[in-house]
Amino acid sequence: MTAVVLATDDDAFNALASIVMQDNVDGPVYRVGPSHESHGVVAQYTGGDILFGRSLVRHVLAERYGRGARFVAQPATAPLPPEHDTLFVVRADRRLEPVTEKEESVPRDGDTLVLLGPAPTHAPH
């Protein structure tokens, strides 16, 4: 195992599992960020690098996807579409690098970006 991504719908589980796994995995441990209003005792203060930064926490991702936002893959050389967030960079050698709170992966020629698009807006009737 080269990396762990914790993305369950339970912030406390993700936080506790990140603590346990940090010393038991050779690679990095990532977790989806907890809600800013999280009432969990440990969720906001534990280990594991936070995926996608503090603005794309678990409930925001789920809400956006639920409203119709979709994942898109595109070449890194293409312009970033408006209102899309970069989640992962797939390197030319097929390594997956997540964008995290601590590190924004800089795309290079030959890389592919995995983006989350905006939720579609519906025109009023």
Side-chain angles (χ1 to χ4, degrees), residues 3-89:
V4 174
V5 174
L6 297 163
T8 73
D9 63 354
D10 185 332
D11 293 331
F13 174 84
N14 293 338
L16 291 172
S18 71
I19 293 169
V20 171
M21 291 184 181
Q22 279 182 323
D23 294 331
N24 295 304
V25 175
D26 289 334
V29 176
Y30 305 103
R31 64 186 176 105
V32 175
S35 167
H36 300 298
E37 299 85 34
S38 179
H39 298 292
V41 176
V42 296
Q44 298 203 36
Y45 307 104
T46 58
D49 200 358
I50 301 295
L51 288 168
F52 323 130
R54 294 284 176 178
S55 63
L56 286 176
V57 295
R58 181 186 49 79
H59 76 281
V60 171
L61 290 165
E63 179 183 302
R64 221 163 113 181
Y65 186 81
R67 289 185 321 200
R70 291 299 175 252
F71 299 98
V72 178
Q74 74 170 40
T77 54
L80 190 64
E83 300 181 46
H84 282 65
D85 292 294
T86 304
L87 304 178
F88 298 96
V89 176

